[in-house]
Amino acid sequence: MSENTSFAFVANLLDVNCNLPFKVIEDCYFQKADSLQIDKIKNYLSDSGHFTQLFRFNLSPYEFVYVEDTNMPQQNTLTGQPLEPQDWKYYVLNFYDDNSKIYDLSKTANLVEIELDFGLQFIYSKELKIFGIQKNPIYTFNYFHEMNSRLPLVESIDDIILQDLGSIYQNYQQLDEIKYPDIKEAINMLEELKHIPHSSKFKILGLFTIIEFLITHKSIDTGDSITRQVTNKINLLSKRFSKKLNYCQFFGNTPENTVWKKLYAYRSNIAHGGKPDFAKELLVLKDDLTAKKFLKLVVKMLLQHSLIEPQLYADLKEC
């Protein structure tokens, strides 16, 4: 990296299975961080206090690999083993000119199968010849707090995921936001959910809100309920998705209509301050995490597809 190149730190703990550097979009490359970038990242992480226990020993989660503790196999206990410096998991997105590309790229990264989080951006000033840090304090805190509480969480990415990110970004850039304002607004809504802690039930309500905002209209009568609209319209749209929306992966052989009926029972439970009963009433949903993962996947697939066929979504909201 030249010393006058801005870069975004990819906060995910990653196993990367492709050749680097990888061109994501024009003048924007995904690659391993160099020594200068690592120093800047480590200094920020050390000062931030997000990983207090590790940095007490001048360490970072990006410098470990986590393996099962063979002494306690029945407890699924993992232990961290230090990596050699050349194997550290610091990855960055180098970019040139202003940071508008990264701003849009960070929003479209929410739509990729493995979301890449660009929580920290190190912006180089040509006039001052120094780096400044641009961050969203609330989102950054939420992300690292979640990582710190459930380490280790390593995600695998390859060139297909990075290619998808570039393609989604291009579709986003080409969208007529005057003609289709709801699509960009829905993408902004997904970005705003990062301000809510990961464990909060309000994230579930937020995901439902995005789905309904994107494809439904206000109910006219009892036969035009939001649940019925969502069930029927997602059934229609999923036939046009580039990848199959796999209900079985989450809920076994439960019929799709039943899944959505239970999901809306779950939504109602949260909205009214109840405690979801996954042992009986909501058994098919399994648990909070499964329901949230499925809803997040639905939102991603809807938003990806809406960038390709925006007029279809505008028409669906009217019927």
Side-chain angles (χ1 to χ4, degrees), residues 119-138:
L120 298 171
Q121 299 170 26
F122 294 80
I123 310 298
Y124 183 76
S125 170
K126 295 179 181 178
E127 292 76 20
L128 300 176
K129 301 187 184 304
I130 59 172
F131 283 91
I133 299 179
Q134 182 169 307
K135 59 185 181 296
N136 184 318
I138 298 175

Side-chain angles (χ1 to χ4, degrees), residues 70-84:
T70 55
N71 294 321
M72 295 183 289
Q74 295 181 346
Q75 298 182 26
N76 295 320
T77 302
L78 299 170
T79 183
Q81 296 180 353
L83 293 165
E84 294 297 323

Side-chain angles (χ1 to χ4, degrees), residues 44-311:
Y44 171 81
L45 293 177
S46 178
D47 293 340
S48 71
H50 293 309
F51 301 101
T52 307
Q53 294 300 322
L54 285 172
F55 275 106
R56 183 176 299 172
F57 302 99
N58 196 31
L59 297 171
S60 154
Y62 302 94
E63 298 172 16
F64 283 86
V65 61
Y66 297 88
V67 297
E68 184 175 346
D69 189 338
T70 55
N71 294 321
M72 295 183 289
Q74 295 181 346
Q75 298 182 26
N76 295 320
T77 302
L78 299 170
T79 183
Q81 296 180 353
L83 293 165
E84 294 297 323
Q86 66 269 20
D87 297 321
W88 287 351
K89 298 180 182 296
Y90 295 100
Y91 292 94
V92 298
L93 212 61
N94 285 342
F95 60 95
Y96 302 88
D97 301 322
D98 59 54
N99 63 329
S100 60
K101 287 182 179 179
I102 294 298
Y103 177 73
D104 287 344
L105 201 61
S106 67
K107 290 194 290 186
T108 54
N110 296 328
L111 313 187
V112 184
E113 180 182 353
I114 302 297
E115 302 165 38
L116 298 179
D117 290 276
F118 314 133
L120 298 171
Q121 299 170 26
F122 294 80
I123 310 298
Y124 183 76
S125 170
K126 295 179 181 178
E127 292 76 20
L128 300 176
K129 301 187 184 304
I130 59 172
F131 283 91
I133 299 179
Q134 182 169 307
K135 59 185 181 296
N136 184 318
I138 298 175
Y139 159 53
T140 305
F141 173 82
N142 284 340
Y143 186 85
F144 285 118
H145 177 73
E146 176 70 6
M147 181 190 289
N148 197 32
S149 66
R150 59 193 180 111
L151 282 172
L153 180 61
V154 180
E155 301 166 298
S156 296
I157 68 167
D158 53 23
D159 53 352
I160 294 175
I161 290 174
L162 294 173
Q163 287 169 1
D164 285 347
L165 174 56
S167 297
I168 295 169
Y169 172 86
Q170 296 299 338
N171 291 337
Y172 178 81
Q173 291 297 308
Q174 293 166 12
L175 182 71
D176 186 340
E177 59 184 303
I178 303 300
K179 190 174 181 181
Y180 307 111
D182 286 355
I183 294 175
K184 283 207 170 181
E185 178 61 24
I187 291 172
N188 288 336
M189 290 165 69
L190 183 59
E191 175 75 3
E192 289 168 1
L193 284 185
K194 292 180 178 179
H195 291 83
I196 301 175
H198 289 267
S199 59
S200 172
K201 295 290 195 302
F202 286 105
K203 279 217 165 184
I204 300 292
L205 297 180
L207 293 171
F208 274 108
T209 299
I210 295 171
I211 293 170
E212 293 168 10
F213 174 76
L214 199 57
I215 65 174
T216 70
H217 58 256
K218 186 176 181 180
S219 298
I220 300 171
D221 52 47
T222 55
D224 188 42
S225 69
I226 294 296
T227 305
R228 183 175 179 275
Q229 286 188 59
V230 168
T231 302
N232 291 342
K233 291 179 181 182
I234 289 182
N235 180 54
L236 169 68
L237 290 166
S238 64
K239 293 179 172 62
R240 305 178 70 87
F241 291 166
S242 59
K243 297 179 182 177
K244 181 181 179 182
L245 178 55
N246 191 345
Y247 286 79
C248 294
Q249 174 187 351
F250 297 89
F251 311 115
N253 295 321
T254 306
E256 295 176 15
N257 286 359
T258 301
V259 168
W260 283 106
K261 181 179 178 181
K262 294 300 182 182
L263 284 169
Y264 267 90
Y266 177 45
R267 179 194 184 282
S268 179
N269 192 287
I270 294 172
H272 293 91
K275 185 176 181 180
D277 183 0
F278 292 106
K280 294 181 180 179
E281 180 191 4
L282 304 177
L283 180 63
V284 299
L285 300 183
K286 298 180 182 178
D287 50 43
D288 284 304
L289 184 59
T290 302
K292 183 163 65 175
K293 282 184 176 180
F294 176 74
L295 289 168
K296 187 71 170 290
L297 177 62
V298 171
V299 167
K300 288 182 183 183
M301 297 182 83
L302 284 172
L303 290 173
Q304 283 187 37
H305 183 238
S306 71
L307 292 172
I308 298 170
E309 293 192 84
Q311 187 59 51

